[in-house]
Coordinates of all heavy atoms in Angstrom, one line a residue:
M1 N 0.8 -1.2 0.0 CA 0.0 0.0 0.0 C 0.9 1.3 -0.1 O 1.8 1.4 0.8 CB -0.9 0.0 1.2 CG -2.1 -0.7 1.2 SD -3.2 -0.1 2.6 CE -4.5 -1.2 2.2
D2 N 0.6 2.2 -0.8 CA 1.3 3.4 -0.8 C 0.5 4.4 -0.1 O -0.6 4.2 0.3 CB 1.7 3.8 -2.3 CG 0.5 4.0 -3.2 OD1 -0.7 3.7 -2.7 OD2 0.6 4.5 -4.3
S3 N 1.1 5.6 0.0 CA 0.5 6.7 0.9 C -0.8 7.2 0.3 O -1.6 7.6 1.0 CB 1.5 7.8 1.1 OG 1.8 8.3 -0.2
S4 N -0.9 7.2 -1.1 CA -2.2 7.7 -1.7 C -3.4 6.8 -1.3 O -4.4 7.3 -1.1 CB -2.0 7.8 -3.2 OG -1.9 6.6 -3.8
T5 N -3.2 5.5 -1.3 CA -4.3 4.6 -0.9 C -4.6 4.9 0.5 O -5.9 4.9 0.8 CB -3.8 3.1 -1.0 OG1 -3.3 3.0 -2.4 CG2 -4.9 2.2 -0.8
I6 N -3.7 5.0 1.4 CA -4.0 5.2 2.9 C -4.7 6.6 2.9 O -5.7 6.7 3.8 CB -2.7 5.2 3.7 CG1 -2.2 3.8 3.7 CG2 -2.9 5.6 5.1 CD1 -0.8 3.7 4.3
A7 N -4.3 7.6 2.3 CA -4.9 8.9 2.3 C -6.4 8.8 1.8 O -7.2 9.6 2.3 CB -4.1 9.8 1.4
Q8 N -6.7 7.9 1.0 CA -8.1 7.8 0.5 C -9.0 7.3 1.6 O -10.3 7.5 1.7 CB -8.3 6.9 -0.7 CG -7.7 7.4 -2.0 CD -7.7 6.5 -3.1 OE1 -7.9 5.4 -3.0 NE2 -7.5 7.1 -4.3
F9 N -8.5 6.4 2.6 CA -9.3 5.9 3.6 C -9.4 6.7 4.9 O -10.3 6.5 5.7 CB -8.7 4.5 4.0 CG -9.0 3.4 3.1 CD1 -8.0 2.9 2.3 CD2 -10.3 2.9 3.0 CE1 -8.3 1.9 1.3 CE2 -10.6 1.9 2.0 CZ -9.6 1.4 1.2
I10 N -8.5 7.8 4.9 CA -8.6 8.6 6.2 C -10.0 9.3 6.2 O -10.5 9.3 7.4 CB -7.4 9.6 6.2 CG1 -6.1 8.9 6.4 CG2 -7.5 10.8 7.2 CD1 -4.8 9.7 6.3
P11 N -10.5 9.9 5.2 CA -11.8 10.5 5.5 C -12.9 9.5 5.9 O -13.8 9.8 6.8 CB -12.2 11.0 4.1 CG -10.9 11.2 3.4 CD -10.0 10.2 3.9
L12 N -12.9 8.3 5.4 CA -13.8 7.3 5.9 C -13.7 7.0 7.3 O -14.6 6.8 8.1 CB -13.7 6.0 5.0 CG -14.2 6.1 3.6 CD1 -13.9 4.9 2.8 CD2 -15.7 6.4 3.6
I13 N -12.5 6.8 7.7 CA -12.1 6.6 9.1 C -12.7 7.7 10.1 O -13.2 7.5 11.1 CB -10.7 6.2 9.4 CG1 -10.3 4.9 8.6 CG2 -10.3 6.2 10.8 CD1 -8.9 4.6 8.6
L14 N -12.4 8.9 9.6 CA -12.8 10.1 10.4 C -14.3 10.1 10.4 O -14.9 10.6 11.6 CB -12.2 11.4 9.7 CG -10.8 11.6 9.9 CD1 -10.3 12.9 9.2 CD2 -10.4 11.7 11.4
I15 N -15.0 9.9 9.4 CA -16.5 10.0 9.4 C -17.0 8.9 10.3 O -18.0 9.2 11.1 CB -17.0 9.7 7.9 CG1 -16.8 10.9 7.1 CG2 -18.5 9.4 8.0 CD1 -17.1 10.8 5.6
F16 N -16.4 7.7 10.3 CA -16.9 6.7 11.3 C -16.7 7.1 12.7 O -17.5 6.9 13.6 CB -16.2 5.3 11.1 CG -16.6 4.2 12.0 CD1 -17.9 3.6 11.8 CD2 -15.8 3.8 13.0 CE1 -18.3 2.7 12.7 CE2 -16.3 2.9 13.9 CZ -17.4 2.3 13.7
A17 N -15.5 7.7 13.0 CA -15.1 8.1 14.4 C -16.2 9.2 14.9 O -16.7 9.2 16.0 CB -13.7 8.6 14.4
I18 N -16.5 10.1 13.9 CA -17.4 11.2 14.3 C -18.8 10.6 14.6 O -19.6 11.0 15.6 CB -17.5 12.3 13.2 CG1 -16.2 13.0 13.2 CG2 -18.6 13.2 13.4 CD1 -15.9 13.9 12.0
M19 N -19.2 9.7 13.7 CA -20.5 9.0 14.0 C -20.5 8.2 15.2 O -21.6 8.3 15.9 CB -20.8 8.1 12.7 CG -21.0 8.7 11.4 SD -22.6 9.7 11.3 CE -23.7 8.3 11.1
Y20 N -19.6 7.7 15.6 CA -19.5 6.9 16.9 C -19.6 7.8 18.0 O -20.5 7.6 18.9 CB -18.1 6.0 16.9 CG -18.1 5.4 18.3 CD1 -18.7 4.2 18.5 CD2 -17.2 5.9 19.2 CE1 -18.6 3.6 19.7 CE2 -17.1 5.3 20.5 CZ -17.9 4.2 20.7 OH -17.8 3.5 22.0
F21 N -18.9 8.9 18.0 CA -18.9 9.9 19.2 C -20.3 10.7 19.2 O -20.6 11.1 20.4 CB -17.7 10.7 19.2 CG -16.5 9.9 19.8 CD1 -15.5 9.6 18.9 CD2 -16.4 9.5 21.1 CE1 -14.4 8.8 19.3 CE2 -15.3 8.8 21.6 CZ -14.3 8.4 20.7
L22 N -20.8 11.0 18.1 CA -22.0 11.7 18.1 C -23.3 11.0 18.1 O -24.3 11.6 18.6 CB -22.0 12.7 16.8 CG -20.9 13.8 16.8 CD1 -21.1 14.6 15.5 CD2 -21.0 14.7 17.9
L23 N -23.3 9.8 17.6 CA -24.6 9.0 17.6 C -24.6 7.8 18.4 O -25.5 7.5 19.3 CB -24.9 8.7 16.1 CG -25.1 9.9 15.2 CD1 -25.4 9.4 13.8 CD2 -26.4 10.7 15.7
I24 N -23.7 6.9 18.2 CA -23.7 5.6 18.8 C -23.4 5.6 20.3 O -24.2 5.1 21.1 CB -22.6 4.6 18.0 CG1 -23.1 4.5 16.6 CG2 -22.7 3.2 18.7 CD1 -22.0 3.8 15.7
R25 N -22.3 6.3 20.7 CA -22.1 6.2 22.1 C -23.1 6.9 23.0 O -23.5 6.3 24.1 CB -20.7 7.0 22.3 CG -20.1 6.9 23.6 CD -18.6 7.2 23.6 NE -18.0 7.1 24.9 CZ -17.4 8.2 25.5 NH1 -17.3 9.3 24.9 NH2 -17.0 8.0 26.7
P26 N -23.6 8.1 22.6 CA -24.7 8.7 23.4 C -25.9 7.8 23.5 O -26.6 7.7 24.5 CB -25.0 10.0 22.8 CG -23.8 10.4 22.1 CD -23.3 9.1 21.6
Q27 N -26.2 7.2 22.5 CA -27.4 6.2 22.5 C -27.2 5.0 23.4 O -28.1 4.7 24.1 CB -27.7 5.7 21.0 CG -28.9 4.9 20.9 CD -30.2 5.7 21.3 OE1 -30.2 6.9 21.0 NE2 -31.3 5.0 21.8
Q28 N -26.1 4.5 23.4 CA -25.7 3.4 24.4 C -25.8 3.9 25.8 O -26.3 3.2 26.7 CB -24.3 2.9 24.1 CG -24.2 2.1 22.8 CD -22.8 1.7 22.4 OE1 -21.8 2.2 22.9 NE2 -22.7 0.6 21.7
K29 N -25.3 5.1 26.1 CA -25.4 5.7 27.4 C -26.9 5.9 27.9 O -27.1 5.6 29.0 CB -24.6 7.0 27.5 CG -24.5 7.6 28.8 CD -23.7 8.9 28.8 CE -23.6 9.5 30.2 NZ -22.9 10.7 30.1
K30 N -27.6 6.3 27.0 CA -29.0 6.6 27.2 C -29.8 5.2 27.5 O -30.6 5.2 28.5 CB -29.7 7.3 26.1 CG -31.2 7.7 26.3 CD -31.7 8.5 25.2 CE -33.1 8.9 25.4 NZ -33.7 9.7 24.3
M31 N -29.4 4.2 26.8 CA -30.0 2.8 27.0 C -29.6 2.3 28.4 O -30.4 1.8 29.1 CB -29.6 1.9 25.9 CG -30.3 2.2 24.5 SD -29.7 1.1 23.2 CE -29.9 -0.5 23.9
K32 N -28.3 2.5 28.8 CA -27.9 2.1 30.1 C -28.6 2.8 31.2 O -29.1 2.2 32.2 CB -26.4 2.3 30.2 CG -25.5 1.2 29.5 CD -24.1 1.5 29.8 CE -23.3 0.6 28.8 NZ -21.7 0.7 28.9
E33 N -28.9 4.1 31.1 CA -29.5 4.9 32.0 C -30.9 4.4 32.2 O -31.5 4.3 33.2 CB -29.5 6.3 31.8 CG -28.1 7.0 31.9 CD -28.1 8.4 31.4 OE1 -29.0 8.9 30.9 OE2 -27.0 9.0 31.6
H34 N -31.7 4.1 31.0 CA -33.0 3.7 31.0 C -33.1 2.3 31.7 O -34.0 2.0 32.5 CB -33.6 3.6 29.6 CG -35.0 3.2 29.5 ND1 -35.4 1.9 29.3 CD2 -36.1 3.8 29.7 CE1 -36.6 1.8 29.4 NE2 -37.1 3.0 29.5
Q35 N -32.2 1.4 31.4 CA -32.1 0.0 32.0 C -32.0 0.2 33.6 O -32.7 -0.5 34.3 CB -31.0 -0.8 31.4 CG -31.0 -2.1 31.9 CD -32.3 -3.0 31.5 OE1 -32.8 -2.8 30.4 NE2 -32.6 -3.9 32.4
K36 N -31.2 1.1 34.0 CA -30.9 1.3 35.4 C -32.2 1.8 36.1 O -32.6 1.4 37.2 CB -29.8 2.3 35.7 CG -29.4 2.4 37.1 CD -28.2 3.3 37.3 CE -27.9 3.5 38.7 NZ -26.8 4.4 38.9
M37 N -32.9 2.8 35.4 CA -34.1 3.3 35.9 C -35.2 2.2 36.1 O -35.9 2.1 37.0 CB -34.6 4.4 35.0 CG -36.0 5.0 35.4 SD -36.8 6.0 34.2 CE -37.2 4.7 33.0
V38 N -35.3 1.4 35.1 CA -36.3 0.2 35.1 C -36.0 -0.8 36.2 O -36.9 -1.2 36.8 CB -36.4 -0.4 33.7 CG1 -37.1 -1.8 33.7 CG2 -36.9 0.6 32.6
E39 N -34.7 -1.0 36.3 CA -34.3 -2.0 37.4 C -34.6 -1.5 38.8 O -34.9 -2.3 39.7 CB -32.8 -2.4 37.3 CG -32.5 -3.2 36.1 CD -31.0 -3.4 36.0 OE1 -30.2 -2.8 36.8 OE2 -30.6 -4.1 34.9
N40 N -34.7 -0.1 39.0 CA -34.8 0.5 40.2 C -36.3 0.8 40.6 O -36.6 1.5 41.6 CB -33.9 1.7 40.5 CG -32.5 1.4 40.5 OD1 -32.1 0.3 41.0 ND2 -31.6 2.2 40.0
L41 N -37.2 0.5 39.7 CA -38.7 0.7 39.9 C -39.1 -0.1 41.2 O -38.7 -1.3 41.4 CB -39.5 0.4 38.7 CG -39.4 1.3 37.6 CD1 -40.1 0.8 36.3 CD2 -39.9 2.7 37.9
R42 N -40.0 0.5 41.9 CA -40.5 -0.2 43.1 C -42.0 0.3 43.4 O -42.4 1.3 42.9 CB -39.6 -0.2 44.3 CG -39.4 1.2 44.8 CD -38.5 1.0 46.1 NE -38.1 2.4 46.5 CZ -36.8 2.8 46.3 NH1 -36.0 2.0 45.6 NH2 -36.5 3.9 46.6
R43 N -42.6 -0.3 44.2 CA -44.0 -0.1 44.6 C -44.1 1.4 45.1 O -43.3 1.8 46.0 CB -44.5 -1.1 45.7 CG -46.0 -1.1 45.7 CD -46.4 -2.3 46.6 NE -47.5 -1.8 47.3 CZ -47.7 -2.0 48.6 NH1 -46.9 -2.7 49.3 NH2 -48.8 -1.6 49.2
G44 N -45.1 2.1 44.6 CA -45.3 3.4 45.1 C -44.7 4.5 44.2 O -45.1 5.7 44.3
D45 N -43.9 4.2 43.2 CA -43.3 5.1 42.3 C -44.4 5.6 41.3 O -45.2 4.8 40.8 CB -42.1 4.5 41.5 CG -41.0 4.2 42.3 OD1 -40.9 4.7 43.4 OD2 -40.1 3.5 41.7
R46 N -44.4 6.9 41.0 CA -45.3 7.4 39.9 C -44.5 7.4 38.6 O -43.5 8.0 38.6 CB -45.8 8.8 40.3 CG -46.8 8.9 41.3 CD -47.4 10.2 41.7 NE -47.6 11.1 40.5 CZ -48.6 11.3 39.8 NH1 -49.6 10.5 39.9 NH2 -48.6 12.2 38.8
V47 N -45.1 6.8 37.6 CA -44.4 6.6 36.3 C -45.2 7.1 35.2 O -46.5 7.2 35.2 CB -44.0 5.2 36.1 CG1 -43.0 4.7 37.2 CG2 -45.2 4.3 36.1
V48 N -44.6 7.3 34.0 CA -45.2 7.6 32.8 C -44.7 6.6 31.8 O -43.5 6.3 31.7 CB -44.8 9.0 32.2 CG1 -45.4 9.3 30.8 CG2 -45.1 10.2 33.2
T49 N -45.7 6.0 31.1 CA -45.4 4.9 30.2 C -45.1 5.6 28.8 O -45.5 6.7 28.6 CB -46.5 3.9 29.9 OG1 -47.7 4.5 29.4 CG2 -46.8 3.2 31.3
Q50 N -44.6 4.9 27.9 CA -44.3 5.4 26.6 C -45.6 5.8 25.8 O -45.6 6.6 24.9 CB -43.6 4.4 25.7 CG -42.1 4.3 26.2 CD -41.2 3.3 25.4 OE1 -41.8 2.6 24.6 NE2 -40.0 3.3 25.7
G51 N -46.6 5.1 26.3 CA -48.0 5.5 25.6 C -48.7 6.7 26.3 O -49.7 7.1 25.8
G52 N -48.0 7.3 27.2 CA -48.5 8.5 27.9 C -49.4 8.3 29.1 O -49.9 9.3 29.6
M53 N -49.6 7.1 29.6 CA -50.4 6.8 30.8 C -49.5 7.1 32.0 O -48.3 6.8 32.1 CB -50.9 5.4 30.8 CG -51.8 5.1 29.9 SD -52.8 3.6 30.2 CE -51.6 2.4 30.5
I54 N -50.1 7.9 33.0 CA -49.5 8.2 34.2 C -50.2 7.4 35.2 O -51.4 7.2 35.3 CB -49.6 9.7 34.5 CG1 -49.0 10.6 33.5 CG2 -49.0 9.9 35.9 CD1 -49.2 12.0 33.7
G55 N -49.3 6.6 36.1 CA -49.9 5.8 37.1 C -48.9 5.6 38.2 O -47.7 6.0 38.2
K56 N -49.4 4.8 39.2 CA -48.5 4.6 40.5 C -48.3 3.1 40.5 O -49.3 2.3 40.2 CB -49.4 4.9 41.7 CG -48.6 4.9 43.0 CD -49.4 5.4 44.1 CE -48.5 5.5 45.3 NZ -49.4 6.1 46.5
V57 N -47.1 2.7 40.6 CA -46.8 1.2 40.7 C -47.3 0.6 41.8 O -47.1 1.0 43.0 CB -45.3 1.1 40.6 CG1 -44.9 -0.5 40.6 CG2 -44.6 1.7 39.3
T58 N -48.2 -0.5 41.6 CA -48.8 -1.1 42.8 C -48.2 -2.5 42.9 O -48.1 -3.0 44.1 CB -50.2 -1.3 42.5 OG1 -50.5 -2.0 41.3 CG2 -51.0 0.0 42.5
K59 N -47.6 -3.1 42.0 CA -46.8 -4.3 42.1 C -45.7 -4.5 41.0 O -45.9 -4.1 39.8 CB -47.8 -5.5 41.9 CG -47.3 -6.9 42.2 CD -48.3 -8.0 41.8 CE -49.6 -7.9 42.7 NZ -50.5 -9.0 42.5
V60 N -44.6 -4.9 41.5 CA -43.5 -5.2 40.6 C -43.4 -6.8 40.5 O -43.0 -7.4 41.3 CB -42.1 -4.7 41.1 CG1 -41.0 -5.0 40.1 CG2 -42.2 -3.1 41.3
K61 N -43.8 -7.3 39.2 CA -43.7 -8.8 39.1 C -42.4 -9.2 38.5 O -41.6 -8.4 38.1 CB -44.8 -9.1 38.0 CG -46.3 -8.7 38.4 CD -47.3 -9.1 37.3 CE -48.7 -8.7 37.9 NZ -49.7 -9.0 36.9
E62 N -42.2 -10.4 38.8 CA -40.9 -11.0 38.4 C -40.7 -11.2 37.0 O -39.5 -11.2 36.5 CB -40.7 -12.4 39.1 CG -40.8 -12.3 40.7 CD -39.6 -12.9 41.4 OE1 -38.8 -13.5 40.7 OE2 -39.6 -12.7 42.6
D63 N -41.8 -11.4 36.2 CA -41.6 -11.7 34.7 C -41.5 -10.5 33.9 O -42.2 -10.4 32.9 CB -42.6 -12.7 34.3 CG -44.0 -12.3 34.7 OD1 -44.1 -11.4 35.5 OD2 -44.9 -12.9 34.2
N64 N -40.8 -9.5 34.3 CA -40.5 -8.2 33.6 C -41.9 -7.4 33.3 O -42.0 -6.7 32.3 CB -39.9 -8.6 32.2 CG -39.2 -7.4 31.6 OD1 -38.8 -6.5 32.4 ND2 -39.0 -7.4 30.4
E65 N -42.8 -7.5 34.3 CA -44.0 -6.7 34.2 C -44.2 -5.9 35.5 O -43.7 -6.2 36.5 CB -45.3 -7.7 34.1 CG -45.2 -8.5 32.8 CD -46.4 -9.5 32.8 OE1 -47.1 -9.6 33.7 OE2 -46.5 -10.1 31.7
L66 N -45.0 -4.8 35.3 CA -45.4 -4.0 36.4 C -46.9 -3.9 36.3 O -47.6 -4.0 35.3 CB -44.9 -2.5 36.2 CG -43.5 -2.3 36.2 CD1 -43.2 -0.8 35.9 CD2 -42.9 -2.4 37.7
E67 N -47.4 -3.8 37.6 CA -48.9 -3.4 37.6 C -49.0 -1.9 38.1 O -48.4 -1.6 39.1 CB -49.6 -4.3 38.7 CG -51.1 -4.1 38.7 CD -51.8 -5.1 39.5 OE1 -51.9 -6.3 39.2 OE2 -52.0 -4.8 40.8
I68 N -49.7 -1.1 37.3 CA -49.8 0.3 37.7 C -51.2 0.7 37.8 O -52.0 0.2 37.1 CB -49.1 1.3 36.7 CG1 -49.7 1.2 35.3 CG2 -47.6 1.0 36.6 CD1 -49.1 2.3 34.4
E69 N -51.5 1.6 38.8 CA -52.9 2.0 39.1 C -53.0 3.4 38.3 O -52.3 4.3 38.7 CB -53.1 2.2 40.5 CG -54.6 2.5 40.8 CD -54.8 2.5 42.4 OE1 -54.0 3.1 43.1 OE2 -55.8 1.9 42.8
V70 N -53.8 3.4 37.3 CA -54.0 4.6 36.5 C -55.2 5.5 37.0 O -55.3 6.7 36.6 CB -54.2 4.3 35.0 CG1 -52.9 3.8 34.5 CG2 -55.3 3.4 34.8
A71 N -56.1 4.9 37.7 CA -57.2 5.6 38.4 C -57.6 4.8 39.7 O -57.1 3.7 39.7 CB -58.3 5.7 37.4
P72 N -58.3 5.4 40.6 CA -58.7 4.5 41.8 C -59.4 3.1 41.4 O -60.3 3.2 40.5 CB -59.7 5.4 42.5 CG -59.3 6.8 42.0 CD -58.9 6.6 40.6
E73 N -58.7 2.2 41.7 CA -59.2 0.8 41.6 C -59.1 0.3 40.1 O -59.8 -0.6 39.7 CB -60.6 0.5 42.1 CG -60.7 0.7 43.6 CD -59.8 -0.1 44.5 OE1 -59.7 -1.3 44.2 OE2 -59.2 0.4 45.4
V74 N -58.3 1.0 39.3 CA -58.2 0.6 37.8 C -56.6 0.3 37.7 O -55.8 1.2 37.7 CB -58.5 1.7 36.9 CG1 -58.3 1.3 35.4 CG2 -60.0 2.1 37.1
R75 N -56.3 -0.9 37.5 CA -55.0 -1.4 37.4 C -54.6 -1.9 36.1 O -55.5 -2.7 35.6 CB -54.5 -2.4 38.5 CG -54.7 -1.7 39.9 CD -54.1 -2.6 41.0 NE -54.0 -1.8 42.2 CZ -54.7 -2.3 43.4 NH1 -55.4 -3.3 43.3 NH2 -54.6 -1.4 44.5
V76 N -53.5 -1.6 35.5 CA -53.1 -2.1 34.2 C -51.8 -2.7 34.3 O -50.9 -2.3 35.0 CB -53.0 -0.9 33.3 CG1 -52.6 -1.3 31.9 CG2 -54.3 -0.1 33.2
T77 N -51.5 -3.8 33.6 CA -50.2 -4.5 33.7 C -49.5 -4.0 32.3 O -50.0 -4.1 31.3 CB -50.4 -6.0 33.6 OG1 -51.2 -6.5 34.7 CG2 -49.1 -6.7 33.6
V78 N -48.2 -3.6 32.6 CA -47.4 -3.1 31.5 C -46.0 -3.8 31.5 O -45.6 -4.2 32.6 CB -47.3 -1.6 31.5 CG1 -48.5 -0.9 31.3 CG2 -46.5 -1.1 32.8
I79 N -45.3 -3.8 30.5 CA -43.9 -4.3 30.4 C -43.1 -3.2 31.0 O -43.2 -2.0 30.7 CB -43.5 -4.7 29.0 CG1 -44.5 -5.6 28.3 CG2 -42.0 -5.1 28.9 CD1 -44.5 -6.9 29.0
K80 N -42.1 -3.7 31.9 CA -41.2 -2.7 32.5 C -40.5 -1.8 31.5 O -40.4 -0.5 31.9 CB -40.1 -3.5 33.3 CG -40.6 -4.0 34.7 CD -39.4 -4.6 35.4 CE -39.8 -5.2 36.7 NZ -38.6 -5.7 37.4
S81 N -40.1 -2.3 30.5 CA -39.2 -1.5 29.6 C -40.1 -0.3 28.8 O -39.5 0.6 28.3 CB -38.6 -2.3 28.5 OG -39.5 -3.0 27.7
T82 N -41.4 -0.4 29.0 CA -42.3 0.7 28.4 C -42.4 1.9 29.3 O -43.0 2.8 28.9 CB -43.7 0.2 28.0 OG1 -44.3 -0.3 29.2 CG2 -43.6 -0.9 27.1
V83 N -41.8 1.8 30.5 CA -41.8 3.0 31.4 C -40.8 4.0 30.8 O -39.6 3.8 30.6 CB -41.4 2.6 32.8 CG1 -41.3 3.8 33.7 CG2 -42.5 1.7 33.4
A84 N -41.4 5.2 30.5 CA -40.5 6.2 29.9 C -39.9 7.2 30.9 O -38.8 7.7 30.7 CB -41.3 7.1 28.9
Q85 N -40.6 7.4 32.1 CA -40.0 8.4 33.0 C -40.6 8.1 34.4 O -41.7 7.5 34.5 CB -40.5 9.7 32.6 CG -40.1 10.9 33.5 CD -40.5 12.2 33.0 OE1 -41.3 12.3 32.0 NE2 -40.1 13.3 33.5
V86 N -39.9 8.3 35.4 CA -40.3 8.2 36.8 C -40.6 9.6 37.3 O -39.7 10.4 37.3 CB -39.2 7.5 37.7 CG1 -39.8 7.4 39.1 CG2 -39.0 6.0 37.1
L87 N -41.8 9.9 37.7 CA -42.2 11.2 38.1 C -41.7 11.4 39.6 O -41.2 12.5 39.9 CB -43.6 11.5 37.9 CG -44.2 11.5 36.6 CD1 -45.7 11.6 36.5 CD2 -43.5 12.6 35.7
S88 N -42.0 10.5 40.4 CA -41.6 10.6 41.8 C -41.3 9.2 42.4 O -41.9 8.2 42.0 CB -42.7 11.3 42.7 OG -43.9 10.4 42.6
K89 N -40.2 9.3 43.1 CA -39.7 7.9 43.7 C -40.3 7.9 45.2 O -40.4 8.8 45.9 CB -38.2 7.9 43.8 CG -37.5 7.9 42.5 CD -37.5 6.6 41.7 CE -36.7 5.5 42.5 NZ -36.9 4.3 41.9
T90 N -40.6 6.6 45.7 CA -40.7 6.4 47.0 C -39.5 6.4 47.8 O -38.5 5.9 47.3 CB -41.6 5.1 47.2 OG1 -40.9 4.1 46.7 CG2 -43.1 5.3 46.6
E91 N -39.5 6.6 49.0 CA -38.4 6.5 49.9 C -38.1 5.1 50.2 O -39.1 4.3 50.4 CB -38.6 7.3 51.2 CG -38.7 8.8 51.0 CD -37.4 9.3 50.4 OE1 -36.3 9.0 50.8 OE2 -37.6 10.2 49.5
P92 N -36.8 4.6 50.3 CA -36.7 3.2 50.6 C -37.1 2.9 52.0 O -37.0 3.7 52.8 CB -35.1 3.0 50.4 CG -34.6 4.4 50.3 CD -35.7 5.4 50.0
A93 N -37.5 1.6 52.2 CA -37.9 1.2 53.6 C -36.7 1.2 54.5 O -35.6 0.7 54.1 CB -38.6 -0.1 53.5
K94 N -36.9 1.7 55.6 CA -35.9 1.7 56.7 C -36.0 0.5 57.5 O -37.1 0.1 57.9 CB -35.9 2.9 57.6 CG -35.9 4.3 56.8 CD -34.8 5.1 57.2 CE -34.9 6.5 56.7 NZ -34.4 6.9 55.5
G95 N -34.9 -0.1 57.9 CA -35.0 -1.3 58.7 C -34.2 -2.3 58.3 O -33.6 -3.2 58.3

């Protein structure tokens, strides 16, 4: 390989590096933060689902599901990963 061939690949390498740092890496970081948030959900947390429903977690099930109360005595089962945001956290139990 001579220097002109290597010089042709430098722009491609730079474009890939820029794409990695501007797109791929932040997305991976965001996914890790979302996973951590989902793992830390517990009973009493107020959450917003990706569908826009706001409710209070009444039960955290083992098979990747949550039961949330969206109105008095109206409970809906949702997949944990569909929780988009936690509005308020409950305090951890002391003891």
Side-chain angles (χ1 to χ4, degrees):
M1 272 195 183
D2 58 352
S3 61
S4 65
T5 308
I6 294 172
Q8 290 176 347
F9 284 109
I10 289 175
L12 291 175
I13 293 168
L14 289 174
I15 289 171
F16 180 76
I18 291 169
M19 294 290 280
Y20 176 77
F21 284 108
L22 292 180
L23 296 174
I24 299 169
R25 193 166 176 235
Q27 186 66 25
Q28 288 175 340
K29 184 177 179 184
K30 188 175 179 181
M31 285 175 53
K32 284 181 185 179
E33 289 173 359
H34 182 264
Q35 185 65 31
K36 185 177 178 184
M37 177 196 66
V38 168
E39 288 173 0
N40 292 328
L41 286 173
R42 62 176 169 258
R43 199 170 144 227
D45 292 348
R46 284 184 35 90
V47 297
V48 178
T49 66
Q50 289 177 354
M53 288 197 312
I54 299 174
K56 188 175 188 178
V57 177
T58 56
K59 187 187 292 184
V60 179
K61 299 181 178 181
E62 301 234 355
D63 51 347
N64 204 24
E65 295 178 355
L66 292 174
E67 187 175 279
I68 61 172
E69 186 174 49
V70 293
E73 301 300 318
V74 178
R75 296 194 171 119
V76 179
T77 302
V78 297
I79 304 296
K80 281 184 181 181
S81 62
T82 63
V83 173
Q85 183 180 6
V86 177
L87 296 176
S88 62
K89 296 283 292 172
T90 56
E91 294 298 318
K94 306 241 192 268

